[in-house]
Amino acid sequence: MPTMNKLCADVAAAVRANADALTELDRAIGDGDHGANLRRGFDAVAALGAELDAMPPGQALQKAGMTLVMKVGGASGPLYGSLLMGIGKSLAGAANPAPAGGTPSPSEIAEALRAGIDMVRQRGKSDAGDKTMLDVLIPVCEALDEGVSQSLPIPRLLDELGAAAARGLESTRALRARKGRASFLGERSIGHLDPGAGSGRIIIDALCASLRGTS
Ligand code: ADP
Ligand code: MG
């Protein structure tokens, strides 16, 4: 299992590498700042560095979430921040929370992701089908639940998460945006991928690659 510091560094590197593509998606149906917003946010999380490894995973993720809320001006900062804070709070509140350097169990991670997504739903007053990051996060969470209940081997489970993220992103193309700036376009948002779903897929893929040890 990579350290928390390494996971965050790998996500930040993937966001940086894909920032221009995310900005392109946001230029089509938003205001063209999504890549820059997330790059600023995840660079700040990665800059926490070894400080993250000194904390239990639950606390480290809450700290990372607060950093995103503070550093990112756009809608996506508070939303991704809520996601990480919700995940972190759930992990920290587990019956036997993993200590610094420890790894929560797959079922604890599945439960935590559900809690994080609920925080995004509440903060964003949004849900599946609104053409947002949730259209990637919710299918990934469902795939994780399913994989954990079937006790899939970790490499297979990671494949399923990647496939769910890819399908979720693609599903946003046909949707009409009901939340965020893209909703101002109404029908004209149809036919474009959602930028936040795009970053969701990039983040999930980066985490999976990091967990496989291939990055
Ligand atoms: P802004 O829209 O303020 O410029 P960003 O461009 O960084 O912020 O992020 C836009 C993304 O945020 C959207 O593509 C969408 O996925 C996500 N988003 C916006 N509003 C909501 C919401 N209410 N609930 C969930 N996600 C949202
Ligand atoms: Mg934007």
Side-chain angles (χ1 to χ4, degrees):
M1 173 81 184
T3 63
M4 193 59 76
N5 182 8
K6 167 88 169 108
L7 281 174
C8 290
D10 287 346
V11 169
V15 166
R16 222 176 292 129
N18 289 284
D20 290 347
L22 292 174
T23 286
E24 275 312 305
L25 293 181
D26 197 32
R27 203 167 275 145
I29 57 169
D31 57 355
D33 63 355
H34 190 57
N37 282 344
L38 286 195
R39 185 173 49 208
R40 189 178 332 111
F42 281 97
D43 279 350
V45 169
L48 296 170
E51 202 187 317
L52 294 174
D53 290 341
M55 298 180 215
Q59 274 76 358
L61 286 168
Q62 289 180 79
K63 170 103 190 170
M66 282 185 273
T67 303
L68 287 182
V69 172
M70 284 187 307
K71 293 286 173 179
V72 182
S76 58
L79 291 164
Y80 274 123
S82 297
L83 177 71
L84 295 193
M85 288 192 287
I87 294 172
K89 193 168 166 217
S90 171
L91 292 178
N96 263 317
T103 307
S105 70
S107 65
E108 283 168 339
I109 294 173
E111 164 134 15
L113 180 56
R114 215 170 313 128
I117 287 172
D118 281 343
M119 296 269 282
V120 176
R121 278 198 180 98
Q122 279 170 32
R123 179 121 198 187
K125 299 184 174 56
S126 46
D127 213 331
D130 287 343
K131 196 179 179 101
T132 71
M133 58 177 69
L134 286 173
D135 291 306
V136 163
L137 298 174
I138 291 171
V140 166
C141 187
E142 288 168 355
L144 180 57
D145 279 338
E146 179 83 12
V148 167
S149 74
Q150 293 176 3
S151 305
L152 283 189
I154 301 293
R156 271 285 316 282
L157 180 56
L158 296 175
D159 287 347
E160 294 297 327
L161 302 186
R167 278 195 306 271
L169 171 59
E170 196 50 47
S171 80
T172 65
R173 197 185 292 279
L175 293 171
R176 174 190 168 136
R178 288 196 291 243
K179 294 289 166 185
R181 280 178 203 283
S183 66
F184 305 153
L185 293 181
E187 295 279 320
R188 279 182 295 138
S189 65
I190 296 173
H192 299 277
L193 296 174
D194 175 63
S199 57
R201 183 193 177 186
I202 286 159
I203 292 166
I204 296 295
D205 280 350
L207 287 172
C208 289
S210 197
L211 290 165
R212 278 195 191 93
T214 55
S215 68

